Amino acid sequence: MTITKVKAELHNHVGDVVTLNYNLGRNKYETYEVIIKQLYNNIFLVQLKDQTSIVKSFSYTDIITKTIKIDY
């Protein structure tokens, strides 16, 4: 998977509610229900579904290295 493919896939789901699983290491995971808000050159922004004031940013390489997993 390349960064271009990741960007294209995320572009199709901008504004959608998705499940994001974040691998913290040492068998620790956090799961969020998020809305994909904006895409930039190196990062993308997601907003938590329940708490609209919280916005998190992730890199496209986080998806490639499986630090995060997005279920559409």
Side-chain angles (χ1 to χ4, degrees):
M1 183 170 271
T2 64
I3 290 178
T4 307
K5 288 182 182 179
V6 171
K7 284 183 185 180
E9 190 171 330
L10 286 174
H11 189 283
N12 293 333
H13 296 284
V14 171
D16 293 347
V17 177
V18 297
T19 303
L20 187 138
N21 295 314
Y22 184 42
N23 183 355
L24 299 170
R26 293 189 174 207
N27 295 324
K28 295 178 188 173
Y29 295 92
E30 290 181 355
T31 302
Y32 302 109
E33 291 287 322
V34 299
I35 301 168
I36 300 173
K37 294 305 276 182
Q38 292 180 327
L39 305 177
Y40 293 102
N41 287 336
N42 297 317
I43 63 168
F44 62 97
L45 300 179
V46 297
Q47 179 180 18
L48 294 181
K49 182 180 172 190
D50 298 334
Q51 300 171 346
T52 57
S53 62
I54 298 177
V55 176
K56 294 186 176 275
S57 65
F58 296 99
S59 171
Y60 299 114
T61 56
D62 291 336
I63 296 173
I64 294 171
T65 60
K66 299 183 181 173
T67 303
I68 62 171
K69 180 182 176 200
I70 298 178
D71 296 322
Y72 303 106

